Structures are given as C-alpha cells and as structure tokens.
Amino acid sequence: MLVFHPGVIPEYRGAHPAFWAVVNGDRKGIGWSLRTLQAGVDTGAVVAQGVSKCANPLRQSHVVMQHFAHLDGTAGLVEALRTIGRGETPLVPTEGRMSRKFTDPGLTDYWKYRRQIRTWQHANEKCGCS
C-alpha cells in the first residue's frame, strides 16, 4: 500500500507538514511524498517526492499549501505508479536526512509561524519582489 503525504519526509513526518516547514524557514520542505505503508508515523520507504511549485507561504495558509502540494505531486504520483507497473521499484534515498515527527501546533508555534512569514515578507520587500 502507498500513502500520498502532503509533506517532504523524513524531514516533515506527521501532522501539518507545510506549517512546520514554514516555522523552520524551509520553503523546500513544502512539498509531497509518496511512501510505502509501514508501522510508525510516515516511516515507510519513500517512492517519490518533490517540492511544491504552487504553494506560496506569503499568500496561502498552511492548509491550502498542503492541498497545492498534493496537486503539484500528481504528475510524480502517476509516474511512480507507471514505474511500479513496469515491475521496477523506485526509491528516494533518505539516508543521512534528519527524520522529524511533528504534531498539532500550539499557540506559541503559531507565533513562530507568523514571525517567519513576516521575515520572508520583509526579505521580499528589500529585494523588490512581489
């Protein structure tokens, strides 16, 4: 069985991966993973993954970003299923990558989230980005 997770694992296992990627200042952590089902929270082998191209932390909530991550990952999901259908086993190497499991955020986590968004907004204003 495969699971389509709205976050980059093993770095963002568990609940609300886009939220935690923003808190950690990690735009590349906003993405998707296709993994095998295994005991534990998001601990299966990673079959395919990618960074969300449509997620925009400056204009979208973390919930919306996770939906965009799934949409962005659809092509990768289809390609992985085709590869599996040919009898191949695609795997994304995860050795040496930090594995972290996150839970539901608390009030102070929301403050950290907003602080990171303001930091990114300020950086965009300084460089003239919109």
Side-chain angles (χ1 to χ4, degrees):
M1 178 180 268
L2 297 172
V3 176
F4 195 26
H5 180 70
V8 176
I9 55 176
E11 290 84 358
Y12 295 99
R13 298 183 305 114
H16 311 288
F19 177 92
W20 294 110
V22 170
V23 168
N24 289 316
D26 182 8
R27 288 185 187 217
K28 291 184 179 182
I30 303 168
W32 59 274
S33 299
L34 181 65
R35 66 172 180 82
T36 60
L37 186 62
Q38 189 174 344
V41 176
D42 298 330
T43 57
V46 179
V47 174
Q49 72 183 182
V51 174
S52 179
K53 293 174 180 60
C54 294
N56 183 344
L58 301 180
R59 299 180 194 261
Q60 300 164 345
S61 73
H62 66 280
V63 175
V64 170
M65 287 189 286
Q66 288 177 189
H67 290 299
F68 274 115
H70 270 139
L71 289 173
D72 288 339
T74 303
L77 168 71
V78 170
E79 182 57 34
L81 293 175
R82 286 184 177 142
T83 302
I84 292 167
R86 290 190 300 267
E88 302 171 33
T89 307
L91 289 177
V92 174
T94 58
E95 298 82 26
R97 291 169 54 185
M98 182 176 286
S99 178
R100 296 178 285 182
K101 179 183 148 205
F102 292 94
T103 61
D104 292 321
L107 182 58
T108 58
D109 299 316
Y110 279 99
W111 292 337
K112 292 175 189 174
Y113 181 91
R114 289 301 311 152
R115 187 173 352 164
Q116 183 58 50
I117 294 295
R118 282 192 302 276
T119 298
W120 285 342
Q121 286 170 332
H122 181 67
N124 277 357
E125 290 166 3
K126 281 180 94 174
C127 76
C129 304
S130 57

Coordinates of all heavy atoms in Angstrom, one line a residue, residues 38 57 122 125:
Q38 N 4.0 1.5 6.5 CA 4.8 0.8 7.4 C 4.4 1.2 8.8 O 3.8 2.3 9.0 CB 6.3 1.1 7.2 CG 7.2 0.3 7.9 CD 8.7 0.6 7.5 OE1 8.9 1.2 6.5 NE2 9.6 0.2 8.3
P57 N 3.7 30.6 0.7 CA 3.5 30.9 2.2 C 3.1 32.3 2.5 O 2.6 32.6 3.5 CB 4.8 30.5 2.8 CG 5.8 30.1 1.8 CD 5.1 30.1 0.5
H122 N 9.5 40.7 4.7 CA 10.5 41.8 4.8 C 11.6 41.5 3.8 O 12.0 42.5 3.1 CB 11.0 41.8 6.2 CG 12.0 42.9 6.4 ND1 11.7 44.3 6.3 CD2 13.4 42.9 6.6 CE1 12.8 45.0 6.5 NE2 13.8 44.2 6.7
E125 N 10.3 42.5 0.4 CA 10.2 44.0 0.2 C 11.6 44.6 0.0 O 11.8 45.5 -0.8 CB 9.6 44.6 1.5 CG 8.2 44.3 1.7 CD 7.6 44.6 3.0 OE1 8.4 45.2 3.9 OE2 6.4 44.3 3.3

